[in-house]
Amino acid sequence: MPVTSGNVLECLQSSLLPNTAHGDPTVVSPDDGRVWRDASMPYNTRLTGSISPAAIVYVNTTQSIRTALKCAQLHHHPVTPRSGGHSYAAYSLGGPVSPRTRADERAIVLDMRSCKSIAYDSYSQTVVAGSGVLVGELAEFLDKRGRVLPTGACPTVGVGGQALAGGFGLLTRERGLLLDNILSIDVVLASGKAVTASPETHADLFWGLRGAGASLAVAHSFTFQTHPAPPQVTYFELSLLPRALTPGAESTFRAVRLFQAFHKFGSESADSRLGLSWHVTPERGKDNTWGTKVEVLGQFSGAENEFLAAIAPLTSVLNKRGETAFTLDHRSLSHFDSLHNLGGNWTRLKDRGPMNINEHVHFYAKSMITKRTLPMSSLSAHLARLLALSAVHNPSSNTEWFILAPFLGGANSAIKAQNDSAFAHRDLQMVWEIYAKRIDEEEESTVNLIDLVQNMVFDLPPIQAVYPAYIDSELVHTDYARLIWGDLYPRLREIKTLYDLDDLFRYPQSVKPIIRGFNVKWVLVVVVCFVVFVFRLWWTRPKRTRRSRPD
Ligand SMILES: Cc1cc2nc3c(=O)[nH]c(=O)nc-3n(C[C@H](O)[C@H](O)[C@H](O)COP(=O)(O)OP(=O)(O)OC[C@H]3O[C@@H](n4cnc5c(N)ncnc54)[C@H](O)[C@@H]3O)c2cc1C
């Protein structure tokens, strides 16, 4: 198909073959009224007013991806693929723009929903999944074959967006991140070339895709090494009593004590089969007043009696330190049922809208990776603040909040063993999500969500590292690259420069290419030298001598 000139829409419409796979239109643009409104609605509706891509293209083959890339390049638009559409900052729609944003800075979105193929090879026990497969669909498909991958629990998240940024779940301490289980990725490069990135071919690209994939190429499909599903798992919640703690010195002391015991257990001795998370959220007490639920929850890959032995070091430390007012609820189920339990609404998998996700939340979240325990003073101030915030919690403000922080690292965690990808923070211990949302997303809330979340982290030490899959929209004007990719950023920029010099795959927090031959520092030096040179010429010019007036 020839790629024509004119504007980018004409180019896309005239060059792409109709997408017959799922009956979707091939190209949707802002001229398409309601269809456009639905197709371009972000998962995070807090950003709705500032999201304005140039077009959404429903691609289904490498050829259609290639054609869309060509049109975008011809008209200088950025390209952002969309798999499950759950980016916290709507980066799969190009991210927030302002009315001053140039038309050609608005993204061409490649919707990958039609890249849905999924196939299991029982000999190698590998699965090949298209980028548009959703995490819940992958888990369900594997469960039927007695296999698992360490995905997150939310079923409607896309495999594409999760696998390229990290992907952790209940099995991560045993099986690593989702991206650690990728054997190869089929991608289309900015040049339009379709290649397979693996340890053998395009190894540098393969390294970069796993941690920074959205900046480097369009991933079409992934090959994963699967693992046997545990025959049964034990889901558990260890909660301080009463379940709704009231604020005050004693509650703060008890919450600090639980955190410290949990942290020590996670870092020093927890079995790799234990998935452990720290969880704090407001909870209504028996007398109808609000308090704070403080708990450790998670899953153990094994039977209940084995679980009780595995968790015993934590409970006995609590007992030794004088904490006896807690409950340990546990029950046995399958890993798949445990995912169901945690992951919210699985029916959404079936009623996914034709043009977009059918699920929207108005929220703000911050992420934080910690690599050691928190200093006592900030931990205690932080928990005292959360206890106080819960006590004034009022659902009529239309706001809900929580902190959920899995302990993914520690002595026995598989996460440390892998270090051959662009996921930078292998020495992590906990990945924190600090989250606030509207209860009813259609209604206003009387609380500013960003202020609330900032307040929740106010007493914590400055954030040194963040989780790449929990994009914090507010980091855009900070040194986000250091927080996301740490010391790996220079190598990533080299790879970006090699594969996408013109920065086709750009969004507010993407990897930037190195523009060689142009260095602001040297330009300044040349300008200063030139000014000095001109000034000296002027200063040393032959001075005209004044004629003396004749008498
Ligand atoms: C309710 C909820 C629960 C979550 N739970 C977990 C969890 O338990 N564990 C966890 O690790 N994460 C979790 N996440 C975070 C989630 O993994 C990330 O938001 C992920 O990036 C979403 O992927 P997506 O495909 O749905 O999103 P998208 O918005 O489609 O994509 C996210 C980013 O990846 C890029 N991208 C998508 N597809 C491709 C592709 N094919 N090629 C190149 N770039 C691509 C997009 O351009 C965008 O920048 C959760 C998110 C939500 C909303």
Side-chain angles (χ1 to χ4, degrees), residues 344-363:
N345 196 343
W346 278 65
T347 57
R348 295 247 187 229
L349 271 186
K350 309 289 175 219
D351 68 1
R352 196 181 185 205
M355 307 300 300
N356 196 354
I357 44 172
N358 212 355
E359 189 182 16
H360 305 281
V361 185
H362 185 113
F363 73 103

Side-chain angles (χ1 to χ4, degrees), residues 72-90:
Q73 265 164 341
L74 204 62
H75 297 277
H76 313 291
H77 284 264
V79 169
T80 53
R82 175 170 73 177
S83 290
H86 281 61
S87 167
Y88 281 19

Side-chain angles (χ1 to χ4, degrees), residues 202-213:
H202 298 278
D204 51 352
L205 179 65
F206 184 59
W207 178 87
L209 285 168
R210 291 167 305 139

